[in-house]
Amino acid sequence: MNHTPDPRIQQLAEARQQVTHGNTNGAVPQWAGLSKGAQRIMLGEAAAWLRAAIAAGIAPSAERPTDDHDAVLLDNYGQLWGEYQTSPPSHGDAILRLVWASEQCSSKAEMEAEGTQFRLIGWSE
């Protein structure tokens, strides 16, 4: 099996660099300017935190659980998208924007009281 590294690891490591090493005048050491050793350490930490988030159920695995699972995506504008299976398969390239269409709402508090667990995945505009 050919394993592709999860791109979220690099995103986490670079964000950590900016969050923890930024200063009041906005000067942040650039990721590319870090030594390879420092990058490796930060990537290792990010990978461990991402594995913990997946184990805790607050982040999904990057691997598709089965061929029957479709990805739900959140773009940088807060819009939700879902993979759309085509025939022949599009290999995850065909996506549809998910929109609020239900005329009926439910009580989140009541659902949680009944045992439903929700996971915050992002914010919609």
Side-chain angles (χ1 to χ4, degrees):
M1 179 175 169
N2 192 8
H3 183 270
T4 303
D6 189 331
R8 297 174 297 178
I9 295 170
Q10 180 84 24
Q11 293 167 335
L12 283 170
E14 289 183 19
R16 180 197 178 275
Q17 169 66 13
Q18 289 190 344
V19 168
T20 58
H21 297 291
N23 58 34
T24 56
N25 68 5
V28 177
Q30 294 297 311
W31 178 259
L34 297 175
S35 71
K36 294 297 179 190
Q39 288 182 6
R40 269 193 306 278
I41 289 168
M42 293 177 73
L43 288 168
E45 291 173 356
W49 278 108
L50 183 56
R51 283 192 308 274
I54 291 167
I58 59 174
S61 170
E63 301 293 323
R64 184 182 306 274
T66 71
D67 287 341
D68 294 331
H69 284 79
D70 295 323
V72 177
L73 309 164
L74 181 70
D75 69 19
N76 55 323
Y77 300 106
Q79 303 298 323
L80 291 171
W81 298 83
E83 284 183 336
Y84 180 74
Q85 294 299 327
T86 60
S87 184
S90 64
H91 305 290
D93 186 51
I95 60 173
L96 292 172
R97 173 127 181 261
L98 304 178
V99 296
W100 312 121
S102 179
E103 299 285 330
Q104 177 182 355
C105 69
S106 300
S107 167
K108 181 180 176 220
E110 286 177 11
M111 292 177 69
E112 288 174 327
E114 293 171 357
T116 301
Q117 294 181 351
F118 291 98
R119 197 175 300 144
L120 178 64
I121 61 169
W123 301 98
S124 180
E125 291 184 52

